[in-house]
Amino acid sequence: QMVNYAPFTLLPSAVPKALFEQAYAVQQDFNLLVDAVSQNREFLERTLASTIKVDDFTARLFRIYTQVLEEGLAQSVFLGINRSDYMIDCAVDGTPALKQIEINTIAASFGGLTSRTPAVHRQVLKVLGKTEEASRLVTNNPSQGLALGIAKAWELYGSQSAVVMFLVERVQRNIFDQRCVENELWNRNIRVIRRRFRDVFEKGSLDDARRLYIDGQEVAVVYYREGYVPQNYDPQNWEARLLLERSRAVKCPDIATQLAGTKKVQQELTRPGMLERLLPGRAASVARIRETFTGLYSLDLGEEGDKVAAKAIAAPDHFVLKPQREGGGNNLYGEELRHVLEKIKDSPERTSYILMDKIKPQPSKNYLLRPHSPLKVSECISELGIFGVYVRQGKEMVMNKAAGHLLRTKAIEHADGGVAAGVAVLDTPYLV
Ligand code: ADP
Ligand code: MG
């Protein structure tokens, strides 16, 4: 076993204050939207119908979703922890605009580690004699906000002796990020256990009221920090996932909310009138959300999809081709995009992807510090994430918050990839 430091930038990166505030201001709207989608069976069925014919992973999730609904939900408290990610697009006319990359509704990470970067960057700026600038770096503690959401869900579940279970990876690469949230819960006298799907398969059970037990302990909240990629599952793990979803325990997220975070859903949300239908009577929320959208296009079979595919093949550098995957490193760009799309343009396989306008941020120089890597200056671009937390009991929203932010920065030569993928590093926004 090896412990490494999490990679980070030497210097904080400039972020326009107005766009930073815009990202915070729209987070409660996105919380409402994700929650609305997760409760809308008709929308999810229609939206994912073409995808699940060709994408086995989404299909398996969808099957659990349907199965749980048919049986009837035992869960009555819902907890969402998401992270909406943005880049700042520099349009042809030069006005920077906040554009959403995606929203992560499962295992959205780095809320813990990023709580520590302002202190690091403050120190660096002081060493450089920039005391004034150092004092302007904003404090940020998402792990506290995430823990408050988990604590609220635990409380509403209503059993003092029940625990919170972090569902974690077999190889625990990001344990310290998770511990930050965990410690906040222990500080509130809430017991936390860490288990893998395998443990659930071997030792998990439901009682008559579908209360979840593991090792003799009742579980109030299941916080998934895994389960978002096909590699997380073998047949036993799928069985464990089904057991968890059937249970009364508060899943963060429940399977419906995981599906609400798919790229296919993101693309369908941009259709005219869609937001209005999902968030009736909330014109201001709809407007704030739509402001952050860039072009997203369906590749479903048919005339619309044919046109989209042809457009992308003709100008691949203007687009990103995305499969229904998470965790970085799956998207296609440029020549590779053209090549793949040419190959699949007449086959149903095409519908497992969506197409997105490529966002083009203004690069700036920074040093990316990571273990075993030489110190050199890089041209970089950044991605801003805002953490959202909400709790719903039955039909009533009892918490809806923005819980902090994450800035990740990467060298421009990498089109794709996050921190876990070894491409991006942790950063702190310097508001300008
Ligand atoms: P994942 O679920 O794998 O994180 P994302 O949609 O976040 O998928 O894409 C991964 C990375 O690819 C992003 O962090 C970003 O660096 C880059 N990327 C994604 N979409 C775009 C886009 N439309 N324009 C520019 N870069 C993008
Ligand atoms: Mg991402």
Side-chain angles (χ1 to χ4, degrees):
Q1 306 225 339
M2 264 274 281
V3 176
N4 270 326
Y5 70 87
F8 60 99
T9 57
L10 179 62
L11 301 164
S13 294
V15 172
K17 186 157 184 268
L19 300 186
F20 182 79
E21 286 168 357
Q22 184 191 349
Y24 265 92
V26 72
Q27 187 55 45
Q28 284 165 301
D29 305 315
F30 271 117
N31 290 347
L32 290 176
L33 179 62
V34 170
D35 188 48
V37 170
S38 80
Q39 293 176 79
N40 194 325
R41 183 173 183 176
E42 194 264 326
F43 173 83
L44 283 174
E45 278 178 349
R46 187 160 32 85
T47 299
L48 295 172
S50 58
T51 311
I52 62 178
K53 282 191 198 133
V54 285
D55 188 85
D56 186 51
F57 180 62
T58 312
R60 292 200 80 149
L61 294 172
F62 198 83
R63 227 179 304 153
I64 293 180
Y65 166 66
T66 314
Q67 205 171 329
V68 169
L69 281 182
E70 307 280 285
E71 186 181 17
L73 289 185
Q75 179 179 350
S76 61
V77 177
F78 297 83
L79 164 65
I81 291 181
N82 62 54
R83 201 189 65 226
S84 182
D85 290 336
Y86 307 88
M87 278 184 177
I88 294 171
D89 198 24
C90 285
V92 258
D93 69 359
T95 13
L98 184 78
K99 291 296 166 193
Q100 188 182 51
I101 295 278
E102 65 157 347
I103 189 157
N104 303 280
T105 61
I106 180 166
S109 58
F110 296 109
L113 294 183
T114 197
S115 308
R116 312 300 166 98
T117 62
V120 173
H121 288 123
R122 241 174 244 139
Q123 172 81 7
V124 171
L125 289 179
K126 283 181 194 170
V127 170
L128 291 171
K130 309 264 180 204
T131 316
E132 216 287 294
E133 288 85 346
S135 71
R136 286 177 46 192
L137 290 182
V138 289
T139 303
N140 179 37
N141 191 357
S143 47
Q144 191 174 58
L146 305 194
L148 279 174
I150 297 172
K152 187 73 191 167
W154 175 85
E155 179 196 317
L156 292 174
Y157 179 87
S159 169
Q160 278 292 321
S161 59
V163 301
V164 171
M165 176 167 76
F166 283 34
L167 206 289
V168 297
E169 330 86 291
R170 199 172 50 80
V171 180
Q172 302 185 17
R173 285 186 60 212
N174 210 8
I175 185 169
F176 297 113
D177 183 54
Q178 297 156 8
R179 290 284 194 206
C180 294
V181 182
E182 179 180 335
N183 291 344
E184 296 275 353
L185 292 168
W186 284 106
N187 289 343
R188 288 173 177 76
N189 299 317
I190 297 173
R191 293 188 68 80
V192 178
I193 59 172
R194 297 171 58 85
R195 294 291 186 278
R196 299 159 307 170
F197 274 127
R198 187 79 209 184
D199 303 314
V200 175
F201 174 76
E202 283 168 3
K203 296 178 197 144
S205 64
L206 305 185
D207 72 6
D208 291 343
R210 282 191 268 159
R211 279 183 286 255
L212 173 67
Y213 289 87
I214 188 155
D215 297 319
Q217 304 174 91
E218 184 178 358
V219 178
V221 180
V222 179
Y223 175 40
Y224 290 109
R225 292 298 297 256
E226 108 138 355
Y228 54 95
V229 286
Q231 297 87 310
N232 295 156
Y233 292 94
D234 59 18
Q236 280 91 13
N237 292 4
W238 279 117
E239 249 179 74
R241 180 73 197 260
L242 177 62
L243 184 89
L244 296 175
E245 293 302 321
R246 291 184 55 229
S247 81
R248 238 188 146 71
V250 183
K251 272 77 65 183
C252 178
D254 68 337
I255 193 111
T257 306
Q258 180 174 0
L259 289 170
T262 53
K263 292 177 171 72
K264 184 64 191 173
V265 165
Q266 180 188 4
Q267 172 259 301
E268 281 299 308
L269 291 174
T270 64
R271 285 196 193 274
M274 203 56 95
L275 292 177
E276 285 80 355
R277 243 179 289 163
L278 288 160
L279 295 174
R282 294 190 183 267
S285 292
V286 166
R288 279 189 294 265
I289 290 171
R290 185 162 291 132
E291 186 77 23
T292 69
F293 284 171
T294 186
L296 282 137
Y297 315 94
S298 166
L299 285 163
D300 283 2
L301 294 178
E303 208 181 314
E304 178 195 342
D306 290 345
K307 275 196 197 136
V308 167
K311 218 165 91 178
I313 287 169
D317 289 334
H318 291 135
F319 299 99
V320 182
L321 184 63
K322 300 190 173 187
Q324 309 303 311
R325 289 293 168 275
E326 304 294 329
N330 303 298
N331 302 333
L332 301 170
Y333 303 82
E335 275 314 305
E336 202 184 355
L337 178 161
R338 188 208 298 268
H339 180 75
V340 168
L341 210 46
E342 261 170 356
K343 211 173 64 191
I344 62 171
K345 73 176 175 357
D346 299 316
S347 107
E349 199 192 333
R350 179 175 102 181
T351 61
S352 64
Y353 293 88
I354 57 129
L355 191 76
M356 185 174 183
D357 283 342
K358 190 165 179 191
I359 301 168
K360 297 186 170 149
Q362 183 70 47
S364 63
K365 290 189 168 59
N366 210 328
Y367 293 85
L368 306 179
L369 309 181
R370 61 165 56 106
H372 317 298
S373 148
L375 187 65
K376 67 170 175 41
V377 71
S378 305
E379 283 285 317
C380 300
I381 54 175
S382 301
E383 186 169 342
L384 175 69
I386 307 292
F387 289 95
V389 184
Y390 60 90
V391 178
R392 174 167 53 82
Q393 185 171 35
K395 291 274 154 218
E396 195 199 348
M397 264 305 194
V398 293
M399 180 188 285
N400 181 5
K401 285 185 177 163
H405 58 269
L406 167 72
L407 191 71
R408 293 173 297 165
T409 293
K410 66 177 187 182
I412 49 169
E413 53 268 28
H414 296 285
D416 204 279
V419 178
V423 170
V425 309
L426 304 175
D427 198 349
T428 303
Y430 181 81
L431 302 184
V432 293

